[in-house]
């Protein structure tokens, strides 16, 4: 379905506000910048900012929805003959090898992480996003496998996959804050993914294989 003019304008306004806010947060710090200053710099009203972003943290972490359901999307999109873990490992490797911005492999990520590290509320929000992602993945694993009530295996596998993703993102963040080149961090992270795969048990690696 084609995007209408009204929807496009709303999307563009939302993106403009987010971009302006991110620039201000990077330049002056998350705690220091106010919503009123964001509104003034974006040439919109304070109410308009709140209409698009209910909380200040939403201005900076405006793409959190794509992170929350990322693992679920990867699992639902697994190929014929591929397990849930196999799909997550494949997607992680492709993103890391391609230096995808979605996993933080871009030159400006150090500035992003600096803002996060200096704001307790942003760190708390990131933790909440990780927990929401895990719960979303558990629900997906249960739906994909038709697991019976009381079966803990979907929860355990989801926990392992979330651990992999969180470990990769954590390592990338730690290394990118050092202002290292994305290609260098990519190579080391691929080695880390190989090591993590070796630690996974057979039950995890073969769980939820899609029928050929």
């Amino acid at each position: 379905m084609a995007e209408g003019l009204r929807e496009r304008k709303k999307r563009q306004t939302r993106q403009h506000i987010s971009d302006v806010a991110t620039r201000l947060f990077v330049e002056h710090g998350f705690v220091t910048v106010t919503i009123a200053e964001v509104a003034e710099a974006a040439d919109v009203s304070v109410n308009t900012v709140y209409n698009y972003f209910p909380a200040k943290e939403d201005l900076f972490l405006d793409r959190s929805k794509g992170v929350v359901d990322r693992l679920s999307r990867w699992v639902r999109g697994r190929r014929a003959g591929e397990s849930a873990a196999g799909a997550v490992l494949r997607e992680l490797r492709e993103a890391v090898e391609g230096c995808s911005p979605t996993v933080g492999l871009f030159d400006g990520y150090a500035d992003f992480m600096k803002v996060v590290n200096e704001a307790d509320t942003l760190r708390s929000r990131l933790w909440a996003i990780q927990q929401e992602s895990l719960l979303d993945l558990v629900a997906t694993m249960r739906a994909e496998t038709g697991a019976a009530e009381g079966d803990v295996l979907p929860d355990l596998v989801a926990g392992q996959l979330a651990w992999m993703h969180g470990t990769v993102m954590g390592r990338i963040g730690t290394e990118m804050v050092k202002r290292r080149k994305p290609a260098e961090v990519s190579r080391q992270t691929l080695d880390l993914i190989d090591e993590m795969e070796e630690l996974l048990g057979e039950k995890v690696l073969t769980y939820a294989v899609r029928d050929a």
Side-chain angles (χ1 to χ4, degrees):
M1 183 175 178
E3 182 182 45
L5 178 61
R6 177 182 172 84
E7 288 72 23
R8 182 166 69 253
K9 286 185 174 181
K10 289 177 65 175
R11 175 176 56 79
Q12 290 172 341
T13 298
R14 188 182 194 281
Q15 188 61 58
H16 172 64
I17 295 171
S18 174
D19 290 344
V20 169
T22 298
R23 174 176 57 80
L24 291 175
F25 293 149
V26 169
E27 291 177 356
H28 306 291
F30 182 79
V31 176
T32 304
V33 176
T34 67
I35 294 295
E37 289 171 334
V38 171
E40 182 179 1
D43 196 25
V44 298
S45 69
V46 170
N47 284 340
T48 297
V49 175
Y50 278 119
N51 283 340
Y52 286 98
F53 303 96
K56 185 178 176 181
E57 290 75 20
D58 297 325
L59 278 164
F60 193 67
L61 301 173
D62 64 311
R63 295 172 177 82
S64 62
K65 181 60 174 70
V67 177
V68 167
D69 66 356
R70 175 187 289 174
L71 291 172
S72 287
R73 284 187 282 108
W74 288 353
V75 169
R76 288 194 298 268
R78 67 195 185 282
R79 300 166 179 172
E82 188 174 51
S83 68
V88 171
L89 285 163
R90 174 177 53 78
E91 293 279 6
L92 275 176
R93 285 191 173 102
E94 289 177 359
V96 171
E97 188 172 13
C99 289
S100 172
T102 61
V103 291
L105 288 169
F106 61 96
D107 289 329
Y109 196 58
D111 297 322
F112 174 88
M113 289 305 301
K114 181 176 183 293
V115 174
V116 171
N117 291 334
E118 292 176 349
D120 291 341
T121 57
L122 286 177
R123 292 198 302 274
S124 296
R125 177 61 68 86
L126 280 179
W127 181 86
I129 288 171
Q130 291 170 356
Q131 297 308 301
E132 190 177 350
S133 175
L134 174 57
L135 291 176
D136 186 76
L137 180 58
V138 168
T140 297
M141 296 293 287
R142 290 190 168 280
E144 290 289 304
T145 60
E149 186 177 351
D151 184 357
V152 299
L153 197 50
D155 305 60
L156 296 176
V157 174
Q160 291 292 296
L161 302 186
W163 162 74
M164 280 199 304
H165 181 263
T167 301
V168 167
M169 295 302 295
R171 173 65 65 85
I172 289 173
T174 298
E175 296 305 316
M176 291 302 291
V177 163
K178 300 174 184 176
R179 305 283 176 180
R180 296 186 59 200
K181 295 293 185 183
E184 295 175 358
V185 178
S186 170
R187 288 192 293 272
Q188 289 191 349
T189 306
L190 286 172
D191 291 338
L192 174 65
I193 294 173
D194 290 342
E195 292 176 14
M196 287 192 294
E197 182 175 8
E198 291 178 1
L199 292 175
L200 296 177
E202 191 66 20
K203 277 191 176 181
V204 174
L205 289 171
T206 60
Y207 188 73
V209 174
R210 170 151 286 162
D211 293 338

